[in-house]
Amino acid sequence: MLAKPEGEVLAPMMGHGASTSLPGRGAVSTVSAVEGGALIRDARRRLDWSQRVLARRLGVSQGYVALIETGGRTPSDEVWTRLVNLLRSLPATADLVAGLETQASRNLVPHLTGWFGEIQPEFHTEGPSVLDWVSQFKFTVVTGEAGSGKSSLLRLWLDELATAGWTTGLVDLAYEPDADLLERTIRTVVTPFATDVIPIEPMPVDPERRAQRLITYVNDSAPDAVALAFDNWAPRQGPIHDLVEYLASRESRLRIFAATNAKAVSVPGAAVIPVPRPSPASWQSWCVNWSVPESVRAELWRRSHGNALAAVLLRGSVFAALSEAPASSIEDLWIDGVKSLPTAPDVPWAAVLRVCEKFLGKSAWDLIKSVGASAEPFPTDSAALLASSGIASRLVEYRFLVPVMGFSGPRLHVHEVIRESQQGDEGNASMALGLSAGSFQRAGRSVDSVAALVRDWFGQGTSVTPEDVIRGVDSLEDQEIEGNPELVLALARALALRGSSGDLERANQRIRNLVARDELSAPVLWEALQQAADLAIRLREYARVPEYLDRAQGLADSSVGVFRREPLAVLLARAAWEQSLFRDAEAALHGVDIEGTVHGARVASWKARIYAALGDIPAAARAAELGLQAAVASKNLRAEAYNSVLLAELEVMRGAHQRAKRLAERARSLADEVQQSDVAAQSLAVLADLATARRAPEEALGYIAQAKERVSSRGNQAWAHAYLLVAEGKVMRTSSDWVRLVSTAQMLEGEARRVTAYAPAHPVVSLLIVEAAWCWAAVGYSHEARRVLGELDTSRAQWRVSWEARRVAFLAGFSTGGDEDGIELVREAETHGCPYLAAECGYGIVVAAARRDNAALVQQMAAWTVAVAGARGWTNLALLARAYSPSRSEPVSSVQPQLIVNPDGSTTIVMPAPAGRPSGTDPGHPLPDDFED
Amino acid sequence: MAQAVVWFPSKDHLFASLQPVDPKRELSQGDIFEDIPFARFPYRRDDTPKTKRGSGMVLGHPCDISPDEKGAVTPWRTLCRVVMDKDALVTIDGTGHFFAFPLPGLKGDEAVWYADFRFTTVVDERYLNPDRRIAALSLDGWLALQRRIAHFYSRGLLDVSYLALNAGHHPDGGTFAEGRPGTYESDFVTVNRRT
């Protein structure tokens, strides 16, 4: 590998400061001290760095660098290693170090890379300039499918930052087995030249506290500009991954990048960007370079979906085959390889790898599998690997194996897509070992005990969580599960509720298999069909819902009185609601009574949602109230949490804030108990809303952070993320952080686009759009607000969303109706049973009118808001409006009173009713008559 | 939403006393009692009357209900129903629902109740047991109630300064809720009289 000028064997090292010799290295560099000095000088000139800058990056004094450069001092092992690693990480100087490496490690595995990888991306992509980017965004998430080039993009960015003097580091979370090691890694990366062993005091696995400790460390120890990149990040996949979000959410100098395969990821507080595709020109150039026949270039692009890694691996396979059989035609091999790929629109990685395996041969493929199956990067001193180093070096060259630099020496690993493809391979000894080890754990489980667990879970008031059920059922053999349909149902339900990445697909597969079976009893089929419809909704396959529900309806018709129909109505309503077909949803539940059962509670909660969407807030509140009563009566904690939070949301609009707080806190507590993290997050969003109403943004942000924590413990819950982003936007609007507000607006727009891509009709889309417009308007960019609102399909929007859109238009100054529009908004909120919303809107109108120097409107609305908010006890709002309302003023009514002198000499002043307001125009619905209750 | 005519006191100034109300406090217009019977007859298509007990507000003026005055002549007291605004539709700015007099915070929480002038009952004075009295209006509240009652029955909007001429009839005399004496100016020329 690398050697210092004196020629001692040197272990490449990052971190701990411990220098160890690498076993098995025979070659020794003979680079002289003078040549080493010259290297430093050349590198410094290329980088246009002063000795001081280089010294700072090396953690030494400027004088020491000067001495090395002039040959007056030989650098220590440690400094030399730092230097070489540093130069190798920078594109401008990588070739200088590569030359050294060739001399020093000619009979080792070639192309071993440094921490950032020496391998340069093969495709050119168009992306933002990272320096501009980091000045705006603290936390950036790069998304893309496996092999699309996320890791390469991270490395390019880090290189660019390092060139600009940043301290940078890349952490591959695929190989971070525990939080302690991860923390140690991060500390090492941000302070690469610390020489002391870093003590890590034991601490419970608590990502938030750990993040805080790390941030303190960074603030105390790291240089000014530090960027950390996390590869193979998986949002909401456990504490190791959660730590990344916690790091990003804390105030520090850190800039954080994360690359994830997760689709449609929504990470509150992060700028999420897709990895750029290779440009067409770059693709053509690559094809020419690697002799891809013109006849299959387009086909290669199509069948590999433009995936850079797929193309690179196919290239490697083709050239590996060519090296084995030099007489072959490269064109024929390419054509064979490309034609071996399926033409399906969604080519699986397994198909790509099968082609690779065919070309590479068994021994090479076995080696790849052995590396892929190892729990961590595979040390190169492994006897097996060294014994086959000839193959290994070729596989490195062809990128099937990727060298990385770890703490104890160079290692090899395979890309995640190859690694994943090896899972469950029966021919792999280590996997077999793992499987047999697992069977020991299974011995402690029996079908009966799991079935009891499942019954407990389905029971009332249980503390069994979906996670418990999944763990329990998964501990059984597949045959045992399939032989017991109740277990399949329980597993599918638990997976649907947990909703982590891949859970829904797994549940769907199980359930589809189940409903296809002929021998199911009617009750099991009834339950399975409902779950199938539920999963179809969760997977947004709405067209399949009627199919299952029709079957279920047929079952109900053939067994009159056996099955309750409410669940079918709820499923139909849900499917319609998710497509913003609120009238259809209402029709689906028409005539379905809210009974004091768990079914009643579910019906009630969906009725509440639908009524609210249609703007009938009083009916929505009544339904949620009944749902809450039904949930309590049936002792169903989940339903109670759900109805509580729905009612809390409505009470916020109505202005019963103390009650809303009590309900939201209750919902949060229940949701935590039953591990319904999306409901917990929703409850926290309500608490944030209430804190915002009290003008306590710090408290509100605290709730949002807690909500993120809840959602981060859950997987692919796209809606929860979107709703949380909207909640964050509402809080951020009250903050003065201009940059963050702009970022929030952009994130909301981005999220709206992402959700639109796979669920264009979902109600959350319009919510995201209007919130984005709100944020733009709050920051003063009314043209942006107008642009964003132009994307809103008001015919699909919920009443509140549509109302908010008009409110934004009025406040941002592009509504068409002038002052009357504002008055009408207030009136509309009142007549829809949202007095607080009306008063809040009144205050907003005051502020907007003041900005436009409309004194009459300011006076009218300020006085009105003071009176209404004061009478209702909304103290903050009353105080705010009072600031615009003078203590005395001229008459605000244009109608003059009449003075009547009575026969006894006394006087009466009579004010005629304002014209045009006969009693028949009472706003809103007639008040309910409790004699009719 | 109406023009911003301030007619309704802030939440802190609406009531002179909430439960428990001093039993010795003189009965007054606007006092609210619990467990008052109300009846509907006929109820729907059934000739059987439906009765229901609930909260009620005394409508009679002090001159008519005081035991020292005309109240001694007849034991009958007229009250209107007091119900909760479950749908949050009653406005406080005085517009719409003229039959309703809002009572925010009547039960010590955020719920808004209202007195409904449309549904009245006549009960014997013995029903107005001090133990059942849950609220008494302040002078501010009483004046607002009088305006509302007058408006409901006449559609005429009375100036508070005229009503205040009779403030001495209030159990607390002509004082504000917190006991300090004050003056009322015409709210036709004044908004935000009190800050």
Side-chain angles (χ1 to χ4, degrees):
Chain A
M1 179 82 185
L2 302 168
K4 68 172 185 173
E6 287 80 4
E8 295 170 23
V9 173
L10 179 71
M13 52 159 289
M14 289 288 289
H16 312 296
S19 175
T20 55
S21 296
L22 191 67
R25 301 294 165 92
V28 171
S29 169
T30 55
V31 178
S32 71
V34 173
E35 286 170 327
L39 169 70
I40 294 175
R41 196 165 44 247
D42 288 349
R44 217 168 46 73
R45 282 178 184 154
R46 283 198 198 180
L47 294 166
D48 196 23
W49 283 3
S50 64
Q51 287 181 340
R52 189 175 171 191
V53 169
L54 179 62
R56 203 183 65 193
R57 300 298 306 275
L58 291 176
V60 297
S61 70
Q62 181 185 345
Y64 188 58
V65 169
L67 282 172
I68 297 173
E69 265 195 33
T70 55
R73 182 70 62 89
T74 302
S76 66
D77 290 357
E78 191 181 319
V79 171
W80 179 250
T81 304
R82 290 178 201 166
L83 173 68
V84 172
N85 282 338
L86 175 64
L87 298 184
R88 191 173 46 210
S89 70
L90 306 174
T93 53
D95 61 320
L96 294 175
V97 187
L100 276 179
E101 186 179 290
T102 304
Q103 295 170 40
S105 54
R106 63 174 67 90
N107 57 352
L108 294 179
V109 176
H111 300 289
L112 284 173
T113 69
W115 184 255
F116 303 118
E118 188 177 291
I119 300 170
Q120 295 301 313
E122 298 197 14
F123 296 97
H124 176 71
T125 53
E126 300 284 347
S129 160
V130 69
L131 284 170
D132 294 343
W133 189 262
V134 294
S135 68
Q136 291 294 323
F137 302 108
K138 186 178 164 193
F139 182 27
T140 305
V141 175
V142 182
T143 64
E145 71 270 29
S148 55
K150 300 180 296 297
S151 309
S152 299
L153 182 67
L154 290 187
R155 290 184 173 118
L156 274 177
W157 276 5
L158 291 181
D159 284 352
E160 194 177 330
L161 288 173
T163 307
W166 284 58
T167 296
T168 58
L170 177 69
V171 179
D172 190 341
L173 292 174
Y175 298 113
E176 294 297 339
D178 63 59
D180 273 345
L181 183 58
L182 175 60
E183 183 174 350
R184 207 179 289 278
T185 305
I186 294 172
R187 288 186 183 215
T188 307
V189 168
V190 298
T191 53
F193 311 129
T195 53
D196 297 332
V197 173
I198 297 163
I200 304 284
E201 295 297 324
M203 180 182 277
V205 180
D206 177 347
E208 191 173 8
R209 289 173 62 199
R210 200 176 279 281
Q212 191 53 55
R213 184 164 73 176
L214 264 170
I215 289 298
T216 305
Y217 179 80
V218 169
N219 289 341
D220 291 347
S221 315
D224 283 345
V226 188
L228 268 180
F230 294 90
D231 205 359
N232 288 309
W233 182 59
R236 275 81 55 189
Q237 289 297 310
I240 299 277
H241 299 272
D242 291 348
L243 182 69
V244 175
E245 275 186 278
Y246 282 118
L247 278 177
S249 67
R250 295 294 180 275
E251 197 58 44
S252 80
R253 301 191 294 266
L254 267 180
R255 291 291 181 271
I256 294 187
F257 307 111
T260 180
N261 286 344
K263 288 179 184 172
V265 63
S266 165
V267 186
V272 182
I273 58 167
V275 65
R277 292 265 175 194
S279 67
S282 170
W283 177 260
Q284 277 297 333
S285 165
W286 185 88
C287 287
V288 170
N289 202 27
W290 295 106
S291 307
V292 183
E294 201 158 349
S295 61
V296 292
R297 282 180 196 167
E299 199 64 9
L300 175 60
W301 174 270
R302 198 166 64 78
R303 295 194 190 192
S304 65
H305 304 286
N307 188 294
L309 184 67
V312 167
L313 293 185
L314 281 172
R315 186 273 317 280
S317 307
V318 164
F319 279 82
L322 187 66
S323 64
E324 293 295 321
S328 306
S329 151
I330 182 73
E331 284 79 11
D332 289 346
L333 286 168
W334 265 120
I335 291 167
D336 185 15
V338 173
K339 299 284 184 191
S340 299
L341 290 175
T343 55
D346 186 16
V347 174
W349 267 106
V352 176
L353 296 178
R354 270 198 299 275
V355 177
C356 298
E357 184 178 3
K358 183 174 99 175
F359 283 149
L360 288 175
K362 186 172 185 314
S363 57
W365 200 247
D366 284 348
L367 181 61
I368 291 170
K369 284 200 292 188
S370 71
V371 176
S374 70
E376 55 182 13
F378 201 73
T380 50
D381 57 356
S382 158
L385 181 60
L386 289 176
S388 54
S389 59
I391 301 175
S393 54
R394 198 179 313 151
L395 292 179
V396 168
E397 190 176 340
Y398 295 142
R399 301 207 177 188
F400 288 98
L401 299 181
V402 182
V404 295
M405 188 80 82
F407 293 124
S408 57
R411 297 162 172 219
L412 292 176
H413 78 129
V414 296
H415 193 279
E416 64 196 276
V417 298
I418 307 177
R419 186 182 171 89
E420 288 298 316
S421 73
Q422 307 307 320
Q423 301 298 318
D425 186 336
E426 291 179 0
N428 186 291
S430 61
M431 287 301 291
L433 189 66
L435 287 171
S436 62
S439 66
F440 281 101
Q441 292 174 351
R442 277 202 296 276
R445 289 281 193 183
S446 69
V447 175
D448 289 345
S449 67
V450 176
L453 180 82
V454 165
R455 277 195 299 278
D456 192 17
W457 184 51
F458 280 133
Q460 309 299 328
T462 175
S463 60
V464 178
T465 66
E467 195 67 47
D468 296 334
V469 173
I470 294 167
R471 206 177 301 124
V473 178
D474 276 347
S475 70
L476 301 173
E477 298 289 349
D478 212 40
Q479 291 163 327
E480 291 171 326
I481 302 170
E482 291 298 329
N484 189 334
E486 283 81 6
L487 292 183
V488 178
L489 289 172
L491 177 63
R493 183 74 188 142
L495 286 167
L497 288 175
R498 186 174 74 174
S500 295
S501 178
D503 279 352
L504 295 184
E505 290 76 11
R506 198 176 149 211
N508 193 36
Q509 194 56 49
R510 288 275 187 187
I511 286 295
R512 290 185 83 157
N513 291 343
L514 192 64
V515 297
R517 284 160 59 170
D518 296 330
E519 82 289 3
L520 295 181
S521 66
V524 170
L525 181 59
W526 169 257
E527 192 63 36
L529 287 167
Q530 287 179 58
Q531 284 204 26
D534 172 78
L535 284 161
I537 294 170
R538 288 174 192 265
L539 288 163
R540 301 181 294 280
E541 296 171 1
Y542 302 115
R544 280 177 37 218
V545 176
E547 172 197 333
Y548 294 124
L549 294 186
D550 286 350
R551 274 183 74 185
Q553 188 64 50
L555 203 59
D557 291 344
S558 64
S559 315
V560 179
V562 175
F563 301 115
R564 301 182 66 95
R565 291 166 195 258
E566 293 97 323
L568 305 187
V570 167
L571 285 163
L572 200 57
R574 269 180 61 195
W577 193 89
E578 286 211 356
Q579 297 171 83
S580 295
L581 303 170
F582 304 123
R583 289 287 172 203
D584 289 358
E586 185 186 28
L589 288 177
H590 183 70
V592 181
D593 293 331
I594 301 172
E595 297 174 357
T597 63
V598 66
H599 295 297
R602 288 191 186 126
V603 168
S605 62
W606 279 99
K607 280 195 171 189
R609 273 186 165 207
I610 293 161
Y611 290 144
L614 292 170
D616 193 345
I617 305 301
R622 282 197 295 271
E625 195 84 60
L626 287 172
L628 186 55
Q629 290 166 14
V632 171
S634 60
K635 295 180 180 169
N636 189 295
L637 303 185
R638 192 172 292 121
E640 187 182 343
Y642 205 67
N643 280 289
S644 293
V645 74
L646 277 176
L647 194 52
E649 285 179 343
L650 296 168
E651 292 293 21
V652 172
M653 292 196 274
R654 289 147 57 106
H657 291 178
Q658 288 167 21
R659 184 171 192 228
K661 189 174 183 191
R662 282 195 301 275
L663 286 163
E665 284 174 342
R666 171 79 178 148
R668 174 178 59 169
S669 162
L670 291 171
D672 282 342
E673 193 174 329
V674 296
Q675 290 195 351
Q676 196 70 19
S677 40
D678 54 345
V679 178
Q682 196 178 347
S683 314
L684 286 157
V686 173
L687 292 171
D689 214 3
L690 290 168
T692 306
R694 291 197 306 275
R695 266 61 185 178
E698 290 305 319
E699 186 185 337
L701 284 171
Y703 285 124
I704 293 290
Q706 288 182 50
K708 283 180 187 172
E709 184 184 337
R710 298 300 197 288
V711 173
S712 70
S713 65
R714 185 170 175 143
N716 257 348
Q717 240 296 354
W719 309 144
H721 291 296
Y723 283 115
L724 191 51
L725 198 54
V726 171
E728 189 173 9
K730 286 167 85 172
V731 176
M732 289 309 301
R733 271 195 261 138
T734 62
S735 84
S736 55
D737 190 336
W738 183 89
V739 173
R740 207 164 155 201
L741 197 50
V742 168
S743 168
T744 306
Q746 290 169 333
M747 281 192 290
L748 284 158
E749 279 196 66
E751 185 65 16
R753 279 194 294 274
R754 269 185 291 281
V755 177
T756 302
Y758 56 83
H762 195 281
V764 80
V765 172
S766 52
L767 204 54
L768 287 160
I769 288 172
V770 171
E771 190 53 45
W774 248 123
C775 288
W776 281 123
V779 88
Y781 286 177
S782 58
H783 62 289
E784 293 285 10
R786 187 173 201 160
R787 172 184 61 75
V788 175
L789 282 185
E791 297 169 16
L792 181 69
D793 180 357
T794 49
S795 67
R796 284 179 177 278
Q798 302 179 61
W799 166 75
R800 170 82 190 269
V801 176
S802 169
W803 182 84
E804 291 285 0
R806 282 178 284 134
R807 187 179 170 191
V808 174
F810 177 81
L811 297 180
F814 55 85
S815 65
T816 51
D819 293 353
E820 281 308 309
D821 278 0
I823 306 291
E824 185 54 37
L825 280 165
V826 172
R827 186 172 173 75
E828 186 176 326
E830 280 185 323
T831 56
H832 281 75
C834 303
Y836 181 75
L837 212 54
E840 196 189 33
C841 181
Y843 171 66
I845 291 170
V846 171
V847 176
R851 210 179 295 133
R852 295 171 205 157
D853 291 330
N854 186 342
L857 189 59
V858 169
Q859 186 170 305
Q860 178 186 347
M861 289 310 301
W864 178 85
T865 308
V866 168
V868 171
R872 293 273 190 169
W874 302 322
T875 319
N876 277 346
L877 204 53
L879 280 173
L880 288 165
R882 201 182 300 282
Y884 289 86
S885 179
S887 59
R888 295 182 65 84
S889 68
E890 293 304 305
V892 293
S893 171
S894 59
V895 185
Q896 295 301 313
Q898 288 181 310
L899 181 68
I900 298 172
V901 179
N902 299 313
D904 63 358
S906 62
T907 55
T908 301
I909 303 171
V910 178
M911 182 73 168
R917 185 175 291 285
S919 60
T921 58
D922 270 1
H925 313 273
L927 298 180
D929 180 357
D930 72 341
F931 262 73
E932 302 293 332
D933 285 348
Chain B
M1 196 188 73
Q3 301 288 313
V5 176
V6 176
W7 73 283
F8 199 81
S10 72
K11 195 176 180 181
D12 296 339
H13 294 117
L14 178 61
F15 297 103
S17 183
L18 285 171
Q19 200 171 24
V21 178
D22 183 355
K24 293 178 186 163
R25 185 184 175 89
E26 186 186 338
L27 180 70
S28 180
Q29 188 178 32
D31 284 1
I32 299 166
F33 288 81
E34 281 199 316
D35 202 24
I36 301 297
F38 288 86
R40 296 277 174 89
F41 179 82
Y43 182 65
R44 294 182 179 168
R45 291 174 188 163
D46 189 349
D47 277 352
T48 307
K50 179 175 180 177
T51 59
K52 196 166 186 173
R53 284 173 179 262
S55 302
M57 174 189 271
V58 175
L59 287 181
H61 189 272
C63 300
D64 279 322
I65 58 175
S66 170
D68 297 335
E69 295 193 34
K70 296 184 240 2
V73 178
T74 173
W76 302 107
R77 304 285 177 262
T78 304
L79 292 91
C80 70
R81 277 185 64 75
V82 171
V83 291
M84 187 179 174
D85 178 24
K86 290 180 182 171
D87 290 346
L89 288 171
V90 170
T91 55
I92 301 224
D93 59 14
T95 57
H97 300 129
F98 298 145
F99 54 81
F101 178 72
L103 296 163
L106 172 65
K107 301 287 172 94
D109 57 18
E110 301 164 293
V112 174
W113 293 65
Y114 63 94
D116 192 333
F117 303 143
R118 297 172 302 177
F119 303 118
T120 55
T121 191
V122 178
V123 297
D124 188 278
E125 64 175 341
R126 285 171 297 177
Y127 270 91
L128 307 187
N129 185 323
D131 292 345
R132 293 178 179 171
R133 184 158 56 174
I134 60 171
L137 294 180
S138 68
L139 175 58
D140 281 339
W142 182 50
L143 296 179
L145 172 68
Q146 287 188 315
R147 280 174 56 139
R148 196 66 167 163
I149 291 173
H151 187 237
F152 175 66
Y153 284 109
S154 71
R155 285 294 183 268
L157 201 58
L158 290 171
D159 191 301
V160 72
S161 60
Y162 171 74
L163 291 167
L165 293 174
N166 298 308
H169 292 212
H170 187 262
D172 297 333
T175 58
F176 291 116
E178 60 269 40
R180 65 181 168 84
T183 57
Y184 282 90
E185 299 172 57
S186 169
D187 51 81
F188 292 126
V189 294
T190 305
V191 291
N192 297 327
R193 172 176 43 82
R194 297 172 59 199
T195 57

